[in-house]
Amino acid sequence: MRLLPILLLLLALPARALTLEPLPLTEAPDEQAYNYQEQGELRVWARSQAGFKASRIWLQRRVEGRWQAPEPWAHDDPRWRDSDPFLSSDGRQLLFISDRPEAGTAPLKHLDLFESRVQEDGRWSPPRRLPEALQSAGYELGPERHGGMLWFGSYRAQGQAGGPGKLALFRAPTDGSAAPQALPAPLNDGGANSDPTLSPDGRYLLWWSARSGDGDLYLAERLGEDRWGAPLRLPEPVNSAQGFEFTPWISADGEWLHFASTRPVEGQPAGLARVYRVRWPELLRELGPAAQAASQAELNQANSDFWRALSHGAHQASDTATLRRLLHPQAQVWGALARERGTVAVQLSGADFLQAMSRPEPRPLQECELARELRRYGATAQVYSRVRSDREAGSPPYTGVNSLQWQLGPQGWQLLSLQFALDLPGEPLPAAGECLGPGTP
């Protein structure tokens, strides 16, 4: 009985607040640090003076389990500004921005995109400027490579690529085979957006935006190849009322979100950025259902669309255009029918299922979803439904259960498989009730 008061007390305690951890990445009091990243045995970040002057790239290696002293990047040159480093997942390619010229010694009047690679001898190759199609006469910022695409911020002129603001988010093939395209609204709303990064599973885009005044970190859920949910401003203490938050990056294991912030630090000069980290899983829990509200709404709608598309009038076929949109190209349909005192299994490919649904039937059909249970983990979902199939008036309906497996990918939610079973003799399913409406959760 003594445990009861203790349990009640624990339940009454507030949820644990998000905790920030500062990373000591500077040595001089007038230096700032940002663009931190870690890949395997290598860490990288940028240091600069106030106003991002004299920016340099620093590396730190782990040897036999111990981190060595940080060192400037091998091609560091005080004549030029190098910044915004980004390592490939294997730590052998380094993206960055620089005002170093291709010829001569006079620095550029803007920042271009560069890369360096680890050679066979283990040394970094001389910097190579990325293809001209990716560059502009303005500043390029925060480049990252994900999924064969280059993501970055740019001050390029409106006429060059139609950026919606003075500083906007862009994406382009990494080989420069196509001109960069501005990411759609609402990502680029406001006058300044930059430093895009993707979560390890590609489901979330994070970046900083000035839409709320000072620079704050935002998150948007990816719904397809070029569709996004509404941006969410990250909560405090990630964003602060007295600082500028920028250069977000999530560790490959999904444990930490790293970012830079100019929030005041006691005993240090004002306005200089420091790198912090917060646990990514805890941040997602803090955001709660809002973090995947957009994709959840689309999943609910897709499930409802599927049942409505199967329905049709007399001498009509199902809505195969909608079914084709919802079915994954490798989709499978499985079923179990009670026949001759046994169960007969049926199996159709998605293509065969579409062909069957495209044939007009003499009788009408109304598929009515009566109940729905959802299980979801990230981009994978299972929906278990109880469905009533109504024919013409006076004809008794039949019922069944259906398990739909959905996957969220470049085309949005697509149906991977459908498993159905009609009601069994002696085990009738409830057929009464109203049909679930569109978008039912």
Side-chain angles (χ1 to χ4, degrees):
M1 294 298 293
R2 293 181 180 179
L3 289 176
L4 182 57
I6 298 176
L7 290 174
L8 293 175
L9 178 62
L10 291 175
L11 291 173
L13 291 176
R16 186 173 62 176
L18 295 172
T19 302
L20 297 187
E21 297 183 14
L23 300 184
L25 300 176
T26 57
E27 297 175 347
D30 61 345
E31 278 188 330
Q32 62 180 348
Y34 47 94
N35 274 106
Y36 175 86
Q37 188 192 11
E38 181 177 325
Q39 294 289 8
E41 306 300 305
L42 194 60
R43 290 171 172 168
V44 66
W45 65 91
R47 289 180 184 169
S48 77
Q49 299 172 4
F52 301 99
K53 296 179 180 179
S55 56
R56 306 170 69 186
I57 295 174
W58 288 76
L59 297 174
Q60 187 178 25
R61 296 186 181 277
R62 182 163 52 191
V63 179
E64 295 180 353
R66 299 185 64 180
W67 290 104
Q68 308 300 299
E71 295 180 350
W73 175 53
H75 296 285
D76 176 70
D77 192 318
R79 295 176 297 175
W80 304 308
R81 298 166 58 194
D82 298 328
S83 188
D84 296 15
F86 178 78
L87 287 168
S88 60
S89 58
D90 61 3
R92 299 183 64 85
Q93 299 178 32
L94 178 70
L95 275 177
F96 63 101
I97 59 174
S98 179
D99 64 357
R100 58 178 64 216
E102 289 189 281
T105 58
L108 301 174
K109 295 182 179 180
H110 56 276
L111 295 168
D112 278 347
L113 301 164
F114 285 80
E115 74 169 351
S116 177
R117 298 170 180 259
V118 175
Q119 305 173 111
E120 292 184 2
D121 60 4
R123 299 180 180 180
W124 289 100
S125 66
R128 181 184 74 87
R129 188 170 176 270
L130 294 191
E132 189 64 37
L134 301 174
Q135 314 285 357
S136 76
Y139 282 55
E140 321 302 338
L141 299 173
E144 295 194 8
R145 280 196 178 107
H146 299 287
M149 302 294 287
L150 179 70
W151 306 69
F152 61 103
S154 178
Y155 278 101
R156 62 190 60 212
Q158 295 277 347
Q160 289 182 269
K166 184 178 180 181
L167 173 59
L169 304 171
F170 286 84
R171 185 176 62 173
T174 55
D175 59 3
S177 58
Q181 298 295 317
L183 296 185
L187 303 183
N188 266 323
D189 287 351
N193 295 274
S194 189
D195 297 347
T197 190
L198 292 174
S199 59
D201 58 2
R203 292 179 53 226
Y204 295 105
L205 177 76
L206 289 87
W207 75 104
W208 74 259
S209 176
R211 68 189 67 200
S212 58
D214 296 331
D216 286 328
L217 295 181
Y218 281 79
L219 171 149
E221 189 184 12
R222 196 172 192 175
L223 304 178
E225 183 60 32
D226 205 27
R227 296 187 305 108
W228 306 85
L232 295 175
R233 182 181 179 274
L234 298 188
E236 295 183 358
V238 178
N239 283 313
S240 62
Q242 297 178 289
F244 166 47
E245 281 70 47
F246 61 113
T247 64
W249 177 77
I250 302 171
S251 58
D253 60 7
E255 279 297 309
W256 298 98
L257 165 63
H258 303 79
F259 63 97
S261 175
T262 62
R263 66 191 65 200
V265 176
E266 185 176 355
Q268 296 184 6
L272 294 180
R274 300 288 183 264
V275 173
Y276 299 84
R277 70 178 188 176
V278 63
R279 289 198 177 276
W280 173 243
E282 292 182 5
L283 176 57
L284 287 180
R285 283 194 290 271
E286 178 77 10
L287 292 171
Q292 57 181 22
S295 66
Q296 187 60 48
E298 292 209 348
L299 173 60
N300 295 334
Q301 187 65 53
N303 203 77
S304 295
D305 288 348
F306 177 78
W307 295 114
R308 289 203 310 275
L310 290 176
S311 304
H312 58 78
H315 305 288
Q316 294 180 351
S318 298
D319 179 1
T320 53
T322 298
L323 292 175
R324 185 174 291 106
R325 170 177 61 84
L326 295 175
L327 285 175
H328 189 275
Q330 281 77 50
Q332 297 287 317
V333 177
W334 308 82
L337 305 175
R339 293 288 187 272
E340 297 296 331
R341 297 189 178 273
T343 301
V344 177
V346 296
Q347 185 268 327
L348 294 172
S349 67
D352 291 339
F353 179 73
L354 282 173
Q355 185 175 10
M357 295 299 102
S358 67
R359 292 192 288 266
E361 293 190 3
R363 294 189 297 169
L365 175 65
Q366 175 65 44
E367 294 283 10
C368 173
E369 189 183 12
L370 296 168
R372 180 187 302 175
E373 299 175 23
L374 169 68
R375 292 182 179 180
R376 178 180 176 185
Y377 179 70
T380 300
Q382 179 188 52
V383 178
Y384 185 81
S385 297
R386 176 167 52 88
V387 178
R388 182 183 72 228
S389 299
D390 295 319
R391 292 293 188 178
E392 63 270 7
S395 176
Y398 58 92
T399 53
V401 293
N402 300 267
S403 177
L404 288 76
Q405 284 70 46
W406 297 90
Q407 182 73 36
L408 180 59
Q411 306 305 318
W413 286 105
Q414 288 192 301
L415 190 62
L416 296 177
S417 66
L418 163 64
Q419 184 178 10
F420 69 89
L422 300 184
D423 52 357
L424 300 172
E427 298 182 47
L429 292 166
E434 296 294 327
C435 301
L436 299 182
T440 299

